[in-house]
Amino acid sequence: MRSNLRYRVLGPLEVVVGGGVVPVGGPRASAILSLLLVEAGGVVSRDRLVDEVWGDDPPATAVTALQVHVSGLRKLVGEALRSRGAGYALEVAPGQVDAAGFESLLGEARGLDDAAGRARLLRTALALWRGEAFTGVPRIPAVAAAVARLSELRLRAIEDRVEADLALGRHHELAPELRELTIANPCRERLAGQLMLALHRGGRSADALGAFAQVGRALERELGVGPGADLVALDLAIRRDDPTLAAPAPVSLPSPPGRFVGRDRELRETAEQLGRASLLSMVGPGGCGKTRLALELARRALADHPDGVRFVDLAPLEPADDVAAAVLAALDVREHREGSAAAALADHLRGRRLLLVLDNCERVAEPCAELVGQLLGACASLRVLVTTRQPLGLPGEVVWRVPGLAAADAVALLADRASAALPGRGLDSRDADLAAAVCRRVDGLPLAIELVAARLPSASLGEIASNLDRRLSLLVTTGPGRPPRHRTMREAIAWSHALLDGEERAVFRRLSTFVGTFELGAAEAVGADPEGVAPARPEDVMPVLFRLTDKSMVAAISSFAGRTRYRLLDTIREYAAEQLVDPGESDRARRRHAVWCRRLVRTLWGPDFVIGDVWPFIVDAEMGNLRAAVDWFLRDGEPDRAIGIISPLWPYFWLRGIADQGRRWLLRCLDALGPTPTRARGLGLRAAAHLTRHGGDLDEAERLGEECLATFRALDDPDGIPAALNGLGITAHARGDYERALTYLRGGLEELRRSEDLRRPDAGLARAATLDNIGAALRCLGHLDEAADTLLAALATAREAGDRRSEGATLNDLSLVAARAGDLEGAERWGRQSLAVYTGMRFAEGQLDALETLAAVEAAAGRPFEALQMLTVVERERGLVGGAALSLERREVRESALAAALATLSQERRSEALREARLIGRQDLVTRLAP
């Protein structure tokens, strides 16, 4: 075997002899050599070589030709190419093939803990590539498989190198490269995540969210799926500015296994605060890891405190004990006989650059605050670090609230503790999703995670996860080495609960009725009980809620609108619910909660209700509470109130792409209501028909609509009858039965005219919507002049009533009428006006309707390239918005425009339009087209 022989396959196939490239020969010789390289050292039969190189129908001379090519290759590679029975084998030594060297470097890099060394090795590995693997070689099956495998390895190596560079803080220089990589690989989720992280770390969080939207559109278009859980979690983490996403510190000290895990950003932020303030208080609920974080911070701050760091645990003290004396004893300083313990302590600390850590101050908060105030006043160079469940309230105190662990840190902690609990076993990659779910369920509280790990010798992680609804009973350890308050989560919370006064305890347990987050107004409505213990008035709840927040029993967070919302962590909420034991108080609290939810829905869906981009997020925040309210009303035998919450929510379920979920809720409430005609039943049937139609089941939508009409007719309901007829008309229109649609809609309009009361604020809304639907049906029947007149009347009515949604829909319908009449200038004008109205409303689906209409205008006007781009973007965005199933007419409009565009464009121009469309979002089109 020639020692100076090398093979290069990571690019054009090359044989290198003595540093020079030797020609391989023609395509078949290249294919034969490539197959032998793929099977390096293995015997490849003549039959297989013939089948792969010449295909299914080889000529009679194929075997002879094969021997000729092999003979030519032997002149090139010498004795390395040997005959073996009825086949051939190419002997290849380690290091002779660049692909093998590439894979060897990958394995070496992945075994390194040092990010810089890993990045360096990966760069060396990637430098071996000169283009696509086996460039110029015919894609016979074996070569095609090798190309796919090597290309995937190359992408993984790039991702690994990027990961290492991100760990080294190189996010700024990575962003442009990652942008190019994601354009070339639009469905590659790991690359998209790395781009998002690099952008976010570089202060471009909005662009990071845009990158998430872009990969979501690509996945939906190319694969018909949405982003994976990891990418969704990263998107959410960026939105909430998760601290674990911050760029790593220039110097990172490893956390010893079993002692301290994660919290890098928390340590950086607290170190900065400690460097500026003389008093830093770490505040949080029991089990959140205050002590562990304070100890790690103190350890890292040793160099800044030449006189040392001293730690004092105040948990054993009773409220009446002398805190100063306890600190003196811990510091091993004798008390001055003439003065107080506080004075003696001040004398001892005066002039020292020392960090004093006071742990668990909550039971002695007042005397501790008094002592710290005296010490800081007397000792200018002293720093005090406090852990407590409520702030000390001193001037100049910096309060740093300790959150639960972020997702990655929480799982890492569980894995670390599981390794200790199950020596030689621990957790593996198959447990990752389950471990993450368990950590989320316990709010990332380190104590809870450690108690989970302590359970692993007696129960599997899956069994623990399935029993977390009883987390307070489950999260228990009997092992020594823990203080009593940390042996169970219940004891950890009870430690804080014991410090609450009567009013605080009352509000605390009543707040357990909330599921998820809540605002101040909701807390006031539910926390005040006129029939029970104080507070009895809503206005008295606010100061109590603020005290509960100070004492870490309630967490304060910010919503998307910048308004403060509150939450009880799940473990704390379970404990609070256990305290709501009085049946009378419990029933009253739950009823107040359900009534508040019903009032909220009425507020959100009042006469001025408009679908936009903001209100779905409002409902998102309240969905847990709304579900609970529905359940409580159904349990209490009040299905009319339950359906009163769900019926107005149908646009939410539609826009969120969960129409079937909303429909199931409605049917459950309708079953509980029974068949007796009531207005509540009619409204529920109307909403169920809407959601069923949006889901595409037009037969069932019609059945529900007919039952809705019968219900309202039985009640002689002046609002319900025209609304039911309008819904049936829309369903008939969706299936293409325009004559029937017109009958329903004109019947609805006649009902409106018969019963219309112009003093009612919503009279114009119903009339505008019905006229618009009539105009659309007339258009589909080809009555264009009558359709235009009807739609102009609808437009005037909508504007007079201030109904922006009907205005936008009517403008779009007018655009379609003009397009059918050949008035492309008018069609474009109406379409742009519709887009402007929907944009002002921030109504995404309406924007897509208008954009699709304008795309049809582009196709009709002889601009197929622009039309194809717009149609591609709209189709992609519809999948993300999750709107209604397209009607027959809209499908026809889209298909006609698409066919016109494709018929005009060459294959090259089609590909170019589709490629550019990947980079265009809905907002890009809106900006380009809205007047």
Side-chain angles (χ1 to χ4, degrees), residues 733 738 741-742 745 772-783 787:
H733 187 115
Y738 305 121
L742 204 55
L745 294 165
D772 176 44
N773 291 327
I774 290 172
L778 288 168
R779 177 186 66 240
C780 293
L781 289 169
H783 307 319

Side-chain angles (χ1 to χ4, degrees), residues 824-879:
L824 298 184
E825 182 179 344
E828 183 174 359
R829 184 178 66 255
W830 291 121
R832 286 176 179 256
Q833 288 181 34
S834 173
L835 181 60
V837 170
Y838 283 137
T839 301
M841 293 170 56
R842 297 164 69 182
F843 181 27
E845 189 179 9
Q847 290 177 325
L848 294 176
D849 287 344
L851 289 170
E852 195 165 63
T853 300
L854 288 168
V857 173
E858 292 288 290
R863 294 186 287 272
F865 186 88
E866 292 78 3
L868 181 57
Q869 276 191 340
M870 292 173 65
L871 290 168
T872 303
V873 172
V874 169
E875 182 180 16
R876 181 185 68 219
E877 292 280 333
R878 280 200 191 279

Side-chain angles (χ1 to χ4, degrees), residues 778-794:
L778 288 168
R779 177 186 66 240
C780 293
L781 289 169
H783 307 319
L784 300 186
D785 290 341
E786 189 180 356
D789 291 341
T790 304
L791 289 170
L792 288 171

Side-chain angles (χ1 to χ4, degrees), residues 197 200-201 234 237-239 241-248 265 268:
L197 186 58
H200 175 64
R201 287 180 173 178
L234 176 59
I238 289 172
R239 292 178 186 276
D241 195 19
D242 193 309
T244 61
L245 301 184
R265 180 170 179 178
R268 289 197 300 274

Side-chain angles (χ1 to χ4, degrees), residues 530-555:
E531 302 176 43
V533 300
R537 302 181 307 167
E539 56 266 33
D540 296 332
V541 171
M542 182 173 67
V544 182
L545 176 64
F546 290 171
R547 296 202 301 273
L548 288 170
T549 304
D550 285 342
K551 295 181 179 181
S552 302
M553 300 301 280
V554 175

Side-chain angles (χ1 to χ4, degrees), residues 633-850:
F633 275 136
L634 289 175
R635 184 202 65 182
D636 291 346
E638 298 181 81
D640 55 330
R641 292 194 168 203
I643 207 166
I645 292 175
I646 292 299
S647 295
L649 285 173
W650 73 263
Y652 169 81
F653 292 110
W654 154 42
L655 285 182
R656 280 291 184 247
I658 51 175
D660 191 57
Q661 181 185 123
R663 180 173 171 272
R664 289 197 302 270
W665 274 33
L666 285 162
L667 293 179
R668 179 183 169 204
C669 293
L670 287 167
D671 287 343
L673 271 173
T676 303
T678 63
R679 179 164 175 77
R681 182 171 182 80
L683 292 172
L685 287 165
R686 180 189 175 200
H690 275 304
L691 292 178
T692 304
R693 181 173 62 250
H694 288 310
D697 188 347
L698 299 181
D699 290 338
E700 179 64 8
E702 184 173 354
R703 187 194 70 77
L704 290 167
E706 291 287 2
E707 187 178 351
C708 172
L709 178 60
T711 299
F712 283 132
R713 285 199 188 282
L715 298 171
D716 195 22
D717 189 309
D719 296 322
I721 294 172
L725 287 166
N726 191 52
L728 284 165
I730 297 171
T731 301
H733 187 115
R735 70 196 322 158
D737 192 347
Y738 305 121
E739 291 284 3
R740 194 175 181 199
L742 204 55
T743 300
Y744 280 129
L745 294 165
R746 282 175 169 165
L749 184 61
E750 186 59 34
E751 289 288 339
L752 283 171
R753 287 170 176 161
R754 182 174 64 85
S755 62
E756 193 173 77
D757 180 354
L758 296 179
R759 292 171 298 177
R760 287 167 40 214
D762 58 344
L765 306 182
R767 184 179 178 85
T770 304
L771 284 170
D772 176 44
N773 291 327
I774 290 172
L778 288 168
R779 177 186 66 240
C780 293
L781 289 169
H783 307 319
L784 300 186
D785 290 341
E786 189 180 356
D789 291 341
T790 304
L791 289 170
L792 288 171
L795 181 61
T797 305
R799 286 173 171 170
E800 183 180 354
D803 184 357
R804 297 283 284 167
R805 188 179 178 210
S806 287
E807 181 184 355
T810 304
L811 287 165
N812 193 50
D813 282 326
L814 282 165
S815 178
L816 288 169
V817 168
R820 284 201 177 200
D823 179 10
L824 298 184
E825 182 179 344
E828 183 174 359
R829 184 178 66 255
W830 291 121
R832 286 176 179 256
Q833 288 181 34
S834 173
L835 181 60
V837 170
Y838 283 137
T839 301
M841 293 170 56
R842 297 164 69 182
F843 181 27
E845 189 179 9
Q847 290 177 325
L848 294 176
D849 287 344

Side-chain angles (χ1 to χ4, degrees), residues 189-200:
E189 293 194 54
R190 189 181 178 196
L191 283 175
Q194 290 171 332
L195 172 61
M196 291 165 63
L197 186 58
L199 291 170
H200 175 64

